[in-house]
Amino acid sequence: MASAAPTATRTETDSLGSMEIPAEVYWGIHTARADANFPIAKRPISVYPDLVRGLAMVKQASARANKEIGVLDAERAGLIDAAAQRVIDGEFHDQFTVGVIQGGAGTSTNMNANEVITNIALEMAGREKGDYAFLGPIDHTNRSQSTNDVYPTAIKIGLSLNLRSLLEELDLLRRSFLGKAGEFHNVLKVGRTQLQDAVPMTLGQEFHGFATTLGEDQERLAENAKLMFEINMGATAIGTGITTHAGYAPAVLKHLRAISGLDLSTATDLVESTSDTGAFMSFSSSLKRNAIKLSKICNDLRLLSSGPQAGLGEINLPAKQAGSSIMPAKVNPVIPEAVNQVAFAVVGADMTVTMAVEAGQLQLNAFEPVIAHSIFQSITWMRQAMWTLRVNCVDGITANEDRLGAMVGASVGVITALTPFIGYAAAAALAKTALLTNRNVADLVVEAELMSREEVTKQLSPARLSGLEAVTSAIPIVLPEDMIQI
C-alpha cells in the first residue's frame, strides 16, 4: 500500500521553540499550540461569527489608528486593514480554530486573529505565509495592543452585533403573539389563579399579555446592551497603556466607532475597566430574565393545550411529531418543551458567567473565554428557540371555542361580574348553590329575582366579563336574608 504524500509545511518559531505548520493554513504556531492544549469543547471560536467579526474590527481599527499616529507605515497598515475587512465580510472564518474554552485569558484567540489576518495580508502582498519579517502577527497586526484590551473589546462588539439578530427574532415572536391576541379577541375563557378557577377573560387578553411581557424584555435587553459600549482599548496589559502612543486610544476609538457603527466610548479608568467584567454579568442576567419569561409562556402553552380530552384542552398546538412509540395518535408539545430546555441552559450559563466574574483576581479576569462562550451560546440558542416557537408553534395555534364557551358558562367565577349589582354576600351564596347543584349562575340570579334576564345577559357579555367595557353602576344593598333560597 502506497504511503500518503507528505503534506507541505512551513516552519514557525515562538519563545517555546519551532513547529511545522501546514503550508496552506492561515493560522500559525500560537494557534497550533492552543489547538493541541485545549481540545476541550470541540467547538472553535468560529461557531460565533460575530465574535470573529469583532476581533477583525479591532484589528482594522488598530491598523488605521497606528497609521494615523505614525507608528505603522501606510503599506503594512493598508494590508492589515484590507485583510481584516475580508474577515469582517465573512471570509476565512474556518481559520479561527482555537477552542471556545481555553486558558490564558483569551491570548490564544487574540493570536489566532493576529496570525490569520497577518497571513491573509501577506498573501495579498504576494508573499509567502509566515513571512513575518515583512509583516508580523505581533509587531504589526498586534501593534499598540494587548490581549487584555483586544479580547474584551472584541467580545463586547461581537455581543452587540449578535444581540441585533436576537432582538429582531424576539420582535417577530412578540408580533406573532399579538396576531393571535387579535384573532382571539372575543373568545371568552375562564381565567385562573393558583391553578384554580378565577374570573373570566378573553383568550386574546391572555395572548396579548404574552406579547407585552416579551416587549418589556426587548426594552431591558436593549438597555443592558449599552453596557457593552464601554471599551478599554489603549489599556494594553493592565490598564496603564504601556507600549502605546498617547494618541492611540482616542484614534482607535474613533475608527472603531466608524467601523462597528456602535456608540462606543473609552472607559475613564482603564485599570478598573481591564479587571472588571461586571458588564458581562449584567448583560447575561438580562438574557436569563428573557429566558425565564419565555419559559413561563411555554409552560402556559403546554398547560392550556393539555389533554386533549382529559386536560384543559383550551387551545391546540400544531402537531409536529408523533408523541409516543407505544401510544397511538399521541402528540406532545415538543416545541414549547424544547424552548423550556433552552431556558434551563441559559440559567446555567448565567450562573457560569456569575462565577467567572467573581473569580477574577487583581488586574485581570482570566476567565473571559468561558464568559464569552456562555453568553454567545445563550444568545444563539435563544434566537433559534424563538424562531422555532414562532414558526412551528405560535403561528399555528387554534382555539377550542366550544370548549372554552362551555367552561365559561359552567363557571361560578362569572358571578364576580355581578357583585356590583347584587352585592358580595348574595353573590357568594349563589356561587355556593351553583357549585352544589351544578346549575348555571345566570339562571340562579334571575330566579332569585335579583336581576332581570336582560340585565344579566348584558353584564355577562364578553366585553363586560373581560373588563374591556367598564362597569360603573351603583351597588345596591342586598342582604343574605332578602335572597330567595334556591
Side-chain angles (χ1 to χ4, degrees):
M1 181 176 178
S3 59
T7 303
T9 62
R10 65 178 187 267
T11 303
E12 291 196 15
T13 302
D14 64 4
S15 60
L16 298 181
S18 297
M19 290 182 67
E20 294 301 306
I21 306 297
E24 74 278 5
V25 302
Y26 291 84
W27 44 262
I29 188 171
H30 293 89
T31 303
R33 293 196 190 281
D35 286 343
N37 290 330
F38 310 121
I40 299 169
K42 298 296 184 181
R43 299 179 69 186
I45 59 173
S46 59
V47 298
Y48 304 126
D50 285 327
L51 174 58
V52 175
R53 292 188 183 95
L55 288 161
M57 287 180 181
V58 172
K59 298 302 172 182
Q60 186 178 57
S62 292
R64 294 179 183 181
N66 285 327
K67 175 186 173 184
E68 180 179 320
I69 63 177
V71 300
L72 193 61
D73 64 89
E75 181 184 9
R76 290 181 174 85
L79 286 168
I80 295 169
D81 189 331
Q85 185 61 53
R86 294 180 69 181
V87 176
I88 294 170
D89 292 340
E91 295 186 67
F92 303 102
H93 282 211
D94 62 331
Q95 298 296 306
F96 288 78
T97 61
V98 297
V100 293
I101 302 300
Q102 57 189 257
T107 298
S108 297
T109 293
N110 183 36
M111 286 307 303
N112 195 166
N114 286 330
E115 290 173 339
V116 170
I117 290 173
T118 297
N119 282 309
I120 296 170
L122 286 168
E123 188 174 69
M124 293 173 70
R127 293 176 174 269
E128 296 291 327
K129 297 183 187 73
D131 185 5
Y132 299 151
F134 173 73
L135 182 67
I138 295 176
D139 289 335
H140 302 113
T141 305
N142 199 61
R143 184 66 183 266
S144 304
Q145 305 154 62
S146 163
T147 292
N148 301 346
D149 55 5
V150 167
Y151 189 53
T153 299
I155 293 172
K156 289 178 177 179
I157 292 173
L159 289 175
S160 298
L161 298 175
N162 209 221
L163 183 64
R164 290 175 179 173
S165 59
L166 175 66
L167 290 176
E168 290 170 0
E169 193 57 58
L170 177 56
D171 189 56
L172 289 173
L173 180 60
R174 180 187 67 84
R175 290 173 183 273
S176 182
F177 277 113
L178 273 181
K180 289 298 170 180
E183 181 181 337
F184 303 145
H185 76 283
N186 206 35
V187 179
L188 274 177
K189 60 160 287 177
V190 176
R192 297 178 182 82
T193 56
Q194 296 162 272
L195 294 180
Q196 305 300 303
D197 296 347
V199 297
M201 63 186 301
T202 68
L203 190 60
Q205 288 175 312
E206 191 161 31
F207 274 74
H208 193 279
F210 296 154
T212 299
T213 199
L214 294 178
E216 291 175 351
D217 279 346
Q218 283 180 279
E219 296 175 2
R220 300 293 85 76
L221 284 167
E223 288 173 1
N224 278 284
K226 295 177 181 177
L227 296 171
M228 299 294 102
F229 293 168
E230 183 183 87
I231 62 172
N232 68 330
M233 289 304 295
T236 63
I238 64 171
T240 60
I242 191 170
T243 74
T244 60
H245 184 282
Y248 172 77
V252 75
L253 174 66
K254 176 185 68 177
H255 291 295
L256 202 46
R257 285 170 61 97
I259 292 166
S260 67
L262 300 173
D263 188 22
L264 304 174
S265 63
T266 301
T268 55
D269 187 331
L270 290 178
V271 171
E272 184 276 339
S273 181
T274 303
S275 63
D276 179 55
T277 49
F280 295 125
M281 184 167 62
S282 297
F283 186 77
S284 175
S285 179
S286 67
L287 290 172
K288 180 181 74 172
R289 167 189 158 128
N290 183 211
I292 290 298
K293 293 171 71 172
L294 196 60
S295 188
K296 189 271 181 188
I297 291 172
C298 287
N299 291 342
D300 287 352
L301 294 178
R302 290 190 295 115
L303 190 57
L304 292 172
S305 65
S306 62
Q309 294 173 298
L312 296 186
E314 295 189 2
I315 62 174
N316 305 302
L317 305 185
K320 289 298 178 181
Q321 291 187 207
S324 174
S325 61
I326 187 173
M327 292 174 280
K330 191 174 192 294
V331 178
N332 297 325
V334 293
I335 303 301
E337 288 172 348
V339 177
N340 285 135
Q341 292 174 79
V342 168
F344 306 156
V346 172
V347 172
D350 180 65
M351 177 57 72
T352 298
V353 171
T354 301
M355 297 307 298
V357 169
E358 184 276 337
Q361 296 171 310
L362 303 178
Q363 278 68 62
L364 185 67
N365 189 308
F367 307 110
E368 286 181 0
V370 77
I371 291 174
H373 165 57
S374 298
I375 301 177
F376 274 109
Q377 175 180 277
S378 291
I379 292 177
T380 302
W381 286 18
M382 284 176 63
R383 181 178 63 246
Q384 294 303 108
M386 290 175 189
W387 178 87
T388 196
L389 181 63
R390 172 174 60 87
V391 172
N392 292 315
C393 183
V394 177
D395 286 347
I397 291 176
T398 58
N400 286 327
E401 295 191 36
D402 290 342
R403 182 175 177 83
L404 288 166
M407 285 193 286
V408 171
S411 171
V412 299
V414 298
I415 203 168
T416 303
L418 304 181
T419 55
F421 306 94
I422 65 175
Y424 182 87
L430 287 176
K432 183 177 179 181
T433 300
L435 284 171
L436 291 173
T437 62
N438 200 32
R439 293 192 60 195
N440 184 281
V441 166
D443 293 339
L444 293 175
V445 172
V446 173
E447 290 176 17
E449 298 183 354
L450 297 175
M451 296 178 70
S452 69
R453 175 67 66 181
E454 181 181 4
E455 291 172 329
V456 170
T457 300
K458 178 182 178 181
Q459 299 308 324
L460 296 186
S461 69
R464 290 291 178 93
L465 286 177
S466 61
L468 298 177
E469 184 179 298
V471 179
T472 58
S473 304
I475 301 176
I477 299 175
V478 181
L479 301 176
E481 56 267 26
D482 296 328
M483 295 178 53
I484 298 175
Q485 299 298 315
I486 304 296

